C-alpha cells in the first residue's frame, strides 16, 4: 500500500519512503521533502506539518506548539531574571580596553603573597600576608583587571 507525503501530498512507494518524527507521531515523507524538512525539529516541524492541512493530528500539534512555546518563554524569562540578578550584584564599571564591552565589578578577593619554594613555602606565605584586590571582568570577551580597593595595603 502506497502512502502520501505529509508535506507535498505525492504518493510515495514503500521502498523510497522516509520517516520524520514530530512529537508522538512518525510520518512518511518523500525523499525530496525529507531533504527539505528533515533537519527541522520541534515547533518548526509541527508548524510546517499543520500548514499542509494533511495531518490527522491537528489538535495534538496545536497543543504541542503551545506547550513548547510556553516552555521556551518560561526558560527565556528565567534566563533574563538570572542575568538581571547577576547584573544587580555586579555593576558595570566602564568599557573594556580590549573589545569595548561592559566591564563588571566583582566583590573584592584576597590573594596570598609569597614565593613558592621547595622548603617552607607555607611558612613563607604566612609571613608575607595577602593583598585584597577587586576584579573587573568584561562581559563580552572575559578580559579581567585587578584593582586594589584600599591604597594603604600597598604601603
Amino acid at each position: 500500500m502506497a502512502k502520501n507525503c505529509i508535506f507535498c501530498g505525492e504518493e510515495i512507494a514503500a521502498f523510497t519512503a522516509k520517516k520524520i518524527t514530530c512529537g508522538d507521531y512518525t510520518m512518511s515523507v518523500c525523499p525530496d521533502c525529507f531533504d527539505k524538512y528533515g533537519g527541522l525539529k520541534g515547533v518548526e516541524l509541527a508548524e510546517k506539518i499543520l500548514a499542509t492541512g494533511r495531518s490527522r493530528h491537528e489538535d495534538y500539534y496545536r497543543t504541542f506548539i503551545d506547550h513548547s512555546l510556553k516552555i521556551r518563554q518560561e526558560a527565556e524569562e528565567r534566563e533574563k531574571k538570572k542575568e538581571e540578578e547577576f547584573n544587580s550584584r555586579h555593576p558595570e564599571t566602564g568599557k573594556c580596553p580590549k573589545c569595548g564591552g561592559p566591564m563588571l565589578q566583582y566583590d573584592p578577593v584576597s590573594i596570598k603573597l609569597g614565593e613558592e619554594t621547595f622548603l617552607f613555602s607555607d611558612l613563607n606565605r604566612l609571613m608575607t600576608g595577602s593583598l585584597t584586590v577587586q576584579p573587573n571582568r568584561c562581559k563580552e570577551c572575559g578580559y579581567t583587571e585587578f584593582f586594589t580597593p584600599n591604597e594603604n595595603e600597598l604601603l
Side-chain angles (χ1 to χ4, degrees), residues 1-65:
M1 180 177 145
K3 295 186 178 187
N4 292 344
C5 175
I6 189 75
F7 294 110
C8 66
E10 290 185 26
E11 192 172 299
I12 40 179
F15 63 90
T16 62
K18 303 276 186 175
K19 301 287 184 185
I20 285 184
T21 301
C22 183
D24 293 337
Y25 297 102
T26 301
M27 293 143 289
S28 298
V29 295
C30 67
D32 292 337
C33 290
F34 183 81
D35 292 341
K36 192 173 182 181
Y37 303 113
L40 296 178
K41 300 288 181 210
V43 172
E44 292 79 15
L45 184 58
E47 287 173 341
K48 291 287 185 188
I49 291 169
L50 278 178
T52 67
R54 293 185 187 88
S55 175
R56 292 177 287 170
H57 312 286
E58 286 187 21
D59 292 339
Y60 170 81
Y61 285 119
R62 289 188 203 295
T63 306
F64 176 80
I65 290 170

Side-chain angles (χ1 to χ4, degrees), residues 63-138:
T63 306
F64 176 80
I65 290 170
D66 292 343
H67 181 68
S68 297
L69 291 176
K70 181 181 176 187
I71 289 173
R72 186 182 295 172
Q73 183 181 15
E74 288 172 355
E76 287 171 358
E77 287 173 2
R78 277 193 310 274
E79 189 64 32
K80 185 178 178 182
K81 184 178 177 183
K82 192 172 155 184
E83 186 174 337
E84 287 172 357
E85 183 181 310
F86 176 84
N87 290 338
S88 70
R89 288 191 328 247
H90 305 289
E92 289 185 19
T93 60
K95 299 286 181 195
C96 175
K98 294 220 177 221
C99 74
M103 294 291 283
L104 302 177
Q105 185 178 46
Y106 288 80
D107 294 333
V109 293
S110 184
I111 297 177
K112 294 280 187 192
L113 302 175
E115 284 186 48
E116 185 75 33
T117 60
F118 183 67
L119 294 173
F120 309 116
S121 62
D122 290 334
L123 182 61
N124 184 17
R125 286 193 179 157
L126 283 173
M127 293 174 62
T128 54
S130 63
L131 176 67
T132 302
V133 293
Q134 172 135 14
N136 291 346
R137 185 180 141 295
C138 177

